[in-house]
Amino acid sequence: MVASTSTVATLELLRWIPLIPLCACAINIFFGRALGHRTAGVLASAAVGVSLALALYVFWLLPATGIFHDLLYTWIESGSFRVNLSFQVDALTAIMLLVVTGIGFLIHIYSLGYMAHDDGKVRFFIYLNLFIFFMLLLVMGDNLLLLFVGWEGVGLCSYLLVGFWYHDAKNTIAGNKAFIVNRIGDLGFILGIFLLVTELGRQGIWTLDFAELPKHVSLLTPATITLITLLLFVGAVGKSAQIPLFVWLPDAMAGPTPVSALIHAATMVTAGVYMTARLHFLFAPAPYTLSIIAIIGAATAFFAATVAIAQNDIKKVLAYSTVSQLGYMFLAVGIGAFSAAIFHLFTHAFFKACLFLGSGSVIHALDGEQDMRKMGGLRSYLPKTYWTYVIATLAIAGVPLTAGFFSKDLILWQAFSHGSYALWLVGVVTAGLTAFYMFRQLFMVFHGSSRVEDHVKPHIHESPAVMTVPLIVLAIGSIFTGWLGAPEYLWGSLWDRWVQPVFGGAHGAEHGPVTTEILVTLVTVAIVAIGIYLAYARYARTGTRVVPAEAAAGLYRVLLNSYWIDEFYDRIAVRPFTRVSQWLAQIFDPLVIDGLVNGVAKVARGFSLIWREAQTGNVQHYLIGFLAATLALLIYYLRQL
Amino acid sequence: MDASLIPLLPGAQVLLTALVVMLLDLFIDEHERGLLAWISLLGLALCGAEAILLWGSSEGTFGDTLLLDNFALFFTQIFIAVAALTVLSSMRYVRETGIHEGEFYSLILFATTGMIVMAAANDLMVFFLGLETMSVAVYVLTGMWRSSARSSEAAMKYFLMGAFATGFLLYGIALIYGATGSTNLNQISAYLLEPQGQWPPYLFVGGLLLLVGFGFKVGAVPFHFWIPDVYEGAPTPVTGFMAVAVKAAAFAAWARILMHELSPLDSDWALPLRVLAIATMTIGNLLAISQPSVKRMLAYSSIAHAGYLLIGIVAGEEWGSTSLLFYLATYAPATFGAFAVITLLTEQDKPKEDYGHFAGLGFKRPFVAMAMSLFMLSLAGFPPLAGFTGKFHIFRSAIIAGHTDLAIIGVLNSLLSVIYYLRVIVMMYMNEGGVKGKSFIESPYLYTAVGLAAAATIYLGVLPMRTLEWSRSAFSSLF
């Protein structure tokens, strides 16, 4: 339905958008040290800048319902099954391109300042460029397998960057956790792709191309589609940190702050949303899956927002807030409002990147301090950071006429007009919570009396221009990107006209009576206002009462420990698995006992013992095992006869 | 009888080189022995060139007991490539460890000759000849580091176990001969296709014993016990050679004999093979997780990969066989490369093989660490590296053949394997300490071997089509 209405044109330019960061990455791998820290960083940033310029150019060229396509070569071909290495850009990809290269470019620039004193700067930029490459592959690939390559690649880069400051063992563990939790999600994702390939293959269709797949969806039974989409969604749950696999994202904050901004807020974690939108033709005819997505999205949005209220680490608040905002996006996906989901993804990228980079600026100024209880009153020291932070906070809280207002309101209105009042209610309450915890953070960090530790105080300084300029650009985006998708009663949505054709016009903005729409918006605005007021009353006027974790009690403690989900997983999943592996190693393989524990000593006893060793030791065991297996096979055969 | 000797050419080339190396060894001075490595490489290169020129031929000799077809040539290329990499990565190692060079290189070449014969054998006896030529040479290679007790112990174990397995194999051949009246594969195949009442029951037993013998050689669970000990004890370049070339040779013979010529018996060993494949993947991966030594971990990893390869055997038919050949090609550079990196860590005849010894390698030798990361990621099946395209085809062949469950277990296993492959990367990039930088074996040839393996790992992942075509045409030449 989509392919038939759109025109496909070849544009060989496309390949350079991902390849240029890859080239810069390769140059830095081989010559990075020779070039020196500074040049390597500038080169990496410039490469993403060029990609951004190309992306803007492609965006400019792209007609409303057109698709640009660029085939490099056939990657894998077996029989009638062909997977090309080829890129495509339609309206959806074009938006993702702008987010990845645009935000990516700003964060590269910011990193020049933020990482200026870090020894591993070259390594940092190598990983960062590699990440951009894989992310671009993910959004530009014209088939599911390329998307998967990008999907795995960004996961790897994320892992390398989370563990970047490996001196602290905690960071390495966080990196591992991110990777392993993501593998659980990937398992679902791979199985989903598998099932799709198998089921279509059974009908004689071998393809994974986004252009081809929609034509064959009708061959699948509803049950199959439901199962496939559920499995694919498991992948999205892992990547986009939804319940129950969200646990890795707060820990992933161990990485350098620009990484949190780029990977764990603006781009990689949104890949799950992108994937569902890209495969909307599979998800749309799976109502059961959609309702599960909506419920998980809403539950995650609410749950993460409650946890965010109790956090004292400046980045942890933002991490849970990201989880919560991703929940909104999935809520939108779940009610079939793909366009609204991508719109929120787009605006969120700006204000969340701005918040993260702002928090980075604060952390930078305070010599690495992340505890909000040791901040306060920073407004006068960091004016530029403060003002950009205020704007981004307004945006995420959904204060009218900011970007977050428009995109969140669109989702809530879609939920309401879709008839999902429960989802809408959860969304509205979450909006209030969001306003509360974000303003709580703003007040704790920038207002009130200073609680900064004395030895840090003399060094507080505003960040250099290389860091504040990206902040200002993002702050501007945090306001105006939302204006693209204004409701009809204001000046109408440019966004819908641009993105809607990708989703085949299905589930377009559902227009109810304008008065209802305005009323619904006013309810949200009122709740947001209450949230802001409560935060103001509690945190702005006096200094914050510091609540140490061990003294905290009741609900607060539950929230602070994010409902002890981590501990729960450790009990039910991690420990039993470790035990099984150890048990197997001991039972199945006597070598582990003999060979490893005693082995070193035995070898030391020297050559003369070996013959005896071989006669009375392991080899006999091996031969018995060998013989037993052979006999088992023989018996099996004889019974067959 | 066809009198053409051309089908002998690749094998004879390597054999001749082995003899030259062995004889020359007697006449040259200690410090000139490096020359022997270059002669070996030259011989292997010539053989490689011949194999390329002969590509497309399909000719039998000695009464069709040896068959030079694309299938044989495909494997010959793998053997030669691995042998050449082994020689390259051993050039400094043998000096450090006091292994006698002339014998070392000639044994590598003898073993390679045996492998070439195995891949081309069209007769059970000729196959057995090739197998023993290879095996005896590798037994000796395993124990060549005479000052190392571990090496001698490994050789002894390998020999004892190998002799045991050989007995099974030979007895199986005898039973098949008794049942069919021939050892020639064409004639056995013709006998099996003849419509007749009943095959003698001991034909099945013969096939079973053959299966056990192959199971031992490729290291399938539960015939795998020897692998960790032997791989760990053997001199590291020899381990790489064993893990790749010896395994490939066994799979080559397995594919030709069991999958193709004895395929009428397929239905009888479908279930045991499935069980074998599942057990091999799962046990290999589970045990690899708890190993403290990287070398031992890689030994278990090679068991797990034998399990993935068994999926190709189970799937059979065109896709199964093609993907089996292709998987071997993708598995080779990553596995060999990983062992070559361990070779690099050998310090003054003291092996440094634990995870801890890899700590900080990313900062001390960034390129080696990067190559090692590529090898680990490729073995874990990470796109877009060789291991990914290999697994993609293996699993797809299983799906096409209706073994979706095997494919899913395979996917689960490869997710599991990430745990231990990743640990190496964590060690290299996220830890410090480990082996001191100056104590590595600094050999440009070893670096070349690592570099070539890394390049192949990327190449086979990003541009797999040509090799896949070769695998396919190698498979079709069986018909």
Side-chain angles (χ1 to χ4, degrees):
Chain A
M1 59 186 173
V2 179
S4 57
T5 56
S6 49
T7 50
V8 181
T10 304
L11 187 66
E12 291 210 347
L13 193 70
L14 296 188
R15 65 186 62 170
W16 294 109
I17 298 177
L19 284 184
I20 286 172
L22 184 67
C23 291
C25 171
I27 293 171
N28 275 339
I29 285 175
F30 289 104
F31 309 109
R33 276 155 198 256
L35 290 173
H37 288 211
R38 233 192 127 61
T39 322
V42 170
L43 176 74
S45 312
V48 182
V50 174
S51 288
L52 171 63
L54 290 176
L56 283 169
Y57 180 59
V58 170
F59 188 78
W60 175 255
L61 290 179
L62 190 68
T65 59
I67 295 177
F68 285 132
H69 199 262
D70 182 16
L71 169 70
L72 268 78
Y73 61 89
T74 300
W75 182 30
I76 291 172
E77 186 179 14
S78 60
S80 55
F81 192 25
R82 178 197 291 256
V83 178
N84 290 325
L85 179 53
S86 53
F87 303 117
Q88 70 163 36
V89 174
D90 59 0
L92 172 60
T93 297
I95 286 155
M96 294 302 291
L97 267 186
L98 291 182
V99 170
V100 175
T101 55
I103 309 269
F105 179 60
L106 290 174
I107 289 172
H108 269 74
I109 301 281
Y110 178 94
S111 304
L112 288 175
Y114 193 82
M115 300 298 285
H117 309 298
D118 198 286
D119 290 338
K121 203 172 158 189
V122 177
R123 192 163 56 99
F124 180 80
F125 279 105
I126 288 173
Y127 295 160
L128 219 53
N129 267 354
L130 194 64
F131 170 79
I132 295 278
F133 165 73
F134 278 119
M135 194 65 210
L136 289 171
L137 205 59
L138 195 162
V139 297
M140 293 179 72
D142 83 335
N143 60 68
L144 201 47
L145 208 62
L146 277 190
L147 190 154
F148 175 70
V149 173
W151 185 276
E152 293 288 282
V154 290
L156 178 71
C157 295
S158 152
Y159 157 74
L160 288 170
L161 283 164
V162 170
F164 186 77
W165 285 321
Y166 58 86
H167 290 286
D168 190 346
K170 204 176 76 213
N171 298 350
T172 324
I173 293 166
N176 278 338
K177 186 168 169 187
F179 201 79
I180 286 166
V181 172
N182 266 301
R183 293 306 280 195
I184 298 172
D186 290 354
L187 172 64
F189 193 51
I190 295 171
L191 292 181
I193 297 177
F194 250 69
L195 192 60
L196 181 63
V197 172
T198 321
E199 287 299 316
L200 283 178
R202 198 170 287 172
Q203 317 269 357
I205 309 289
W206 293 101
T207 186
L208 284 171
D209 288 357
F210 295 132
E212 289 294 313
L213 283 173
K215 298 175 191 164
H216 306 298
V217 172
S218 54
L219 293 173
L220 303 169
T221 63
T224 315
I225 296 184
T226 304
L227 188 56
I228 291 173
T229 47
L230 277 177
L231 286 168
L232 292 174
F233 180 59
V234 171
V237 165
K239 194 62 98 206
S240 299
Q242 297 294 289
I243 290 173
L245 296 180
F246 67 93
V247 286
W248 65 272
L249 188 59
D251 285 17
M253 295 300 122
T257 306
V259 171
S260 313
L262 177 62
I263 300 182
H264 305 119
T267 55
M268 184 188 81
V269 290
T270 61
V273 181
Y274 168 77
M275 188 264 288
T276 50
R278 177 51 77 204
L279 297 175
H280 64 93
F281 50 83
L282 271 179
F283 282 88
Y288 180 69
T289 309
L290 284 184
S291 50
I292 288 192
I293 294 178
I295 291 167
I296 288 193
T300 308
F302 176 76
F303 163 84
T306 58
V307 176
I309 288 174
Q311 300 303 310
N312 289 318
D313 183 315
I314 184 168
K315 285 180 74 181
K316 283 273 165 75
V317 174
L318 294 177
Y320 280 107
S321 135
T322 304
V323 173
S324 172
Q325 297 299 312
L326 288 165
Y328 271 116
M329 296 174 207
F330 279 109
L331 195 165
V333 167
I335 53 174
F338 295 101
S339 163
I342 298 295
F343 186 40
H344 195 54
L345 186 162
F346 182 65
T347 60
H348 174 255
F350 285 89
F351 55 73
K352 189 50 70 60
C354 185
L355 288 170
F356 264 118
L357 295 188
S359 77
S361 180
V362 170
I363 295 165
H364 195 72
L366 297 182
D367 266 354
E369 184 56 70
Q370 296 191 189
D371 192 335
M372 296 193 297
R373 287 168 299 192
K374 296 177 184 165
M375 296 178 184
L378 292 175
R379 181 171 38 162
S380 50
Y381 295 100
L382 311 169
K384 288 176 191 156
T385 306
Y386 170 67
W387 281 110
T388 52
Y389 213 88
V390 167
I391 292 171
T393 304
L394 290 172
I396 191 172
V399 172
L401 298 184
T402 61
F405 165 74
F406 289 112
S407 56
K408 201 182 289 178
D409 197 50
L410 181 63
I411 292 174
L412 292 174
W413 169 240
Q414 297 266 1
F416 189 87
S417 59
H418 190 255
S420 315
Y421 301 115
L423 293 176
W424 170 77
L425 193 64
V426 174
V428 171
V429 173
T430 306
L433 290 172
T434 309
F436 177 76
Y437 70 70
M438 282 312 300
F439 274 89
R440 167 181 178 265
Q441 179 177 51
L442 185 74
F443 294 139
M444 277 179 84
V445 173
F446 292 101
H447 291 254
S449 51
S450 176
R451 298 176 302 277
V452 177
E453 285 178 358
D454 290 336
H455 66 278
V456 182
K457 232 170 200 167
H459 311 301
I460 302 178
H461 55 280
E462 177 62 291
S463 300
V466 72
M467 287 164 72
T468 50
V469 171
L471 280 176
I472 293 165
V473 175
L474 288 168
I476 294 170
S478 305
I479 303 276
F480 295 106
T481 51
W483 295 19
L484 296 169
E488 292 300 323
Y489 61 82
L490 291 174
W491 51 84
S493 174
L494 197 64
W495 181 271
D496 265 357
R497 253 162 280 157
W498 171 252
V499 178
Q500 202 60 58
V502 175
F503 304 113
H507 300 280
E510 291 173 40
H511 303 296
V514 172
T515 43
T516 323
E517 190 172 350
I518 293 175
L519 270 177
V520 167
T521 303
L522 287 179
V523 171
T524 319
V525 171
I527 302 241
V528 166
I530 294 171
I532 296 174
Y533 173 75
L534 287 176
Y536 175 77
R538 173 77 179 76
Y539 294 99
R541 281 180 295 198
T542 55
T544 313
R545 194 162 54 97
V546 176
V547 190
E550 55 275 18
L555 183 62
Y556 180 80
R557 217 170 128 200
V558 175
L559 296 180
L560 181 65
N561 291 299
S562 49
Y563 299 83
W564 287 287
I565 296 278
D566 271 330
E567 288 73 11
F568 176 69
Y569 283 163
D570 191 50
R571 284 278 159 76
I572 66 151
V574 179
R575 278 191 228 167
F577 180 77
T578 321
R579 225 169 281 154
V580 167
S581 169
Q582 284 166 352
W583 177 79
L584 254 174
Q586 286 166 0
I587 298 295
F588 198 86
D589 201 322
L591 308 180
V592 176
I593 313 164
D594 291 346
L596 292 179
V597 183
N598 313 328
V600 182
K602 279 185 185 163
V603 169
R605 263 184 271 158
F607 183 69
S608 64
L609 281 177
I610 289 169
W611 180 244
R612 217 180 74 189
E613 185 67 31
Q615 287 230 316
T616 61
N618 297 329
V619 173
Q620 280 197 341
H621 294 169
Y622 302 167
L623 294 183
I624 288 169
F626 192 124
L627 211 57
T630 312
L631 280 175
L633 277 173
L634 252 179
I635 290 167
Y636 169 80
Y637 269 86
L638 295 176
R639 286 171 64 106
Q640 292 283 91
L641 292 175
Chain B
M1 183 186 279
D2 194 338
S4 169
L5 293 180
I6 287 177
L8 292 180
L9 196 54
Q13 173 69 53
V14 179
L15 183 66
L16 189 71
T17 315
L19 293 171
V20 168
V21 169
M22 201 167 65
L23 286 174
L24 208 59
D25 185 35
L26 298 173
F27 300 108
I28 59 175
D29 290 338
E30 179 69 37
H31 61 276
E32 286 171 340
R33 292 232 163 85
L35 182 67
L36 299 174
W38 293 107
I39 294 175
S40 311
L41 286 174
L42 181 69
L44 289 167
L46 282 174
C47 177
E50 288 156 14
I52 289 170
L53 290 175
L54 288 169
W55 183 257
S57 70
S58 175
E59 211 176 334
T61 190
F62 292 128
D64 274 351
T65 53
L66 263 181
L67 202 58
L68 191 78
D69 46 16
N70 281 355
F71 183 84
L73 288 168
F74 180 87
F75 277 103
T76 302
Q77 293 287 17
I78 292 186
F79 303 147
I80 290 170
V82 177
L85 287 176
T86 310
V87 172
L88 271 178
S89 57
S90 310
M91 285 161 85
R92 180 70 60 87
Y93 181 86
V94 288
R95 301 226 158 150
E96 294 276 334
T97 51
I99 291 174
H100 196 84
E101 286 166 75
E103 287 160 16
F104 184 85
Y105 296 132
S106 51
L107 281 167
I108 293 275
L109 295 169
F110 280 128
T112 311
T113 311
M115 293 169 189
I116 293 173
V117 171
M118 279 169 79
N122 195 38
D123 185 289
L124 291 176
M125 287 320 293
V126 172
F127 149 69
F128 187 72
L129 216 62
L131 177 75
E132 284 308 290
T133 310
M134 171 189 84
S135 298
V136 172
V138 178
Y139 297 148
V140 180
L141 279 170
T142 305
M144 275 211 85
W145 184 354
R146 278 178 301 190
S147 58
S148 156
R150 221 167 52 143
S151 171
S152 310
E153 182 185 337
M156 183 59 72
K157 280 182 181 166
Y158 192 19
F159 175 68
L160 285 176
M161 298 288 293
F164 195 66
T166 299
F168 279 79
L169 212 57
L170 205 53
Y171 194 45
I173 292 174
L175 289 175
I176 290 175
Y177 175 72
T180 64
S182 174
T183 55
N184 184 293
L185 293 181
N186 296 351
Q187 286 166 23
I188 295 174
S189 173
Y191 169 86
L192 291 174
L193 291 173
E194 247 170 54
Q196 53 185 316
Q198 270 225 308
W199 292 321
Y202 53 88
L203 173 65
F204 296 103
V205 178
L208 170 86
L209 294 179
L210 224 52
L211 189 111
V212 169
F214 281 122
F216 172 82
K217 285 292 169 193
V218 304
V221 174
F223 311 110
H224 72 287
F225 292 103
W226 60 281
I227 285 202
D229 286 12
V230 173
Y231 279 22
E232 195 182 16
T236 312
V238 175
T239 312
F241 185 66
M242 278 198 282
V244 179
V246 172
K247 196 165 285 213
F251 268 111
W254 190 334
R256 197 195 280 272
I257 297 172
L258 288 187
M259 272 173 91
H260 186 54
E261 302 300 344
L262 297 186
S263 58
L265 300 179
D266 263 357
S267 56
D268 292 285
W269 49 53
L271 183 70
L273 268 180
R274 281 170 56 90
V275 174
L276 228 59
I278 294 171
T280 308
M281 285 187 280
T282 314
I283 304 275
N285 275 318
L286 279 177
L287 288 176
I289 293 173
S290 51
Q291 302 306 320
S293 146
V294 176
K295 198 175 177 184
R296 211 172 163 85
M297 174 277 277
L298 284 171
Y300 280 106
S301 135
S302 87
I303 295 174
H305 282 275
Y308 302 131
L309 284 158
L310 284 172
I311 295 183
I313 298 250
V314 176
E317 302 295 325
E318 185 185 353
W319 299 118
S321 321
T322 305
S323 59
L324 173 74
L325 301 196
F326 182 66
Y327 194 94
L328 277 167
T330 59
Y331 159 82
T335 301
F336 187 87
F339 282 113
V341 172
I342 297 181
T343 306
L344 179 91
L345 294 181
T346 312
E347 174 201 339
Q348 300 295 335
D349 76 12
K350 271 203 300 286
K352 304 268 179 188
E353 299 158 357
D354 288 352
Y355 279 96
H357 293 125
F358 280 80
L361 194 65
F363 311 108
K364 283 172 261 179
R365 290 290 180 280
F367 291 111
V368 173
M370 198 174 74
M372 187 68 174
S373 308
L374 285 174
F375 300 145
M376 293 297 108
L377 291 173
S378 175
L379 288 172
F382 215 83
L385 298 173
F388 172 72
T389 43
K391 283 208 174 80
F392 178 87
H393 282 100
I394 282 272
F395 295 154
R396 180 163 180 272
S397 74
I399 292 178
I400 292 178
H403 298 286
T404 312
D405 51 339
L406 277 186
I408 289 176
I409 294 174
V411 169
L412 283 172
N413 265 294
S414 44
L415 287 174
L416 196 64
S417 71
V418 173
I419 297 174
Y420 56 85
Y421 290 128
L422 204 65
R423 253 179 90 193
V424 179
I425 300 179
V426 173
M427 272 298 160
M428 292 192 301
Y429 288 99
M430 298 179 188
N431 283 281
E432 281 174 351
V435 179
K436 281 198 210 76
K438 52 178 183 263
S439 57
F440 295 125
I441 290 194
E442 298 283 2
S443 154
Y445 312 115
L446 181 54
Y447 285 138
T448 309
V450 171
L452 286 173
T457 303
I458 296 176
Y459 171 77
L460 288 170
V462 177
L463 293 163
M465 282 315 295
R466 178 171 296 181
T467 316
L468 199 61
E469 278 310 315
W470 287 339
S471 322
R472 189 167 305 151
S473 99
F475 162 76
S476 339
S477 75
L478 287 178
F479 293 95

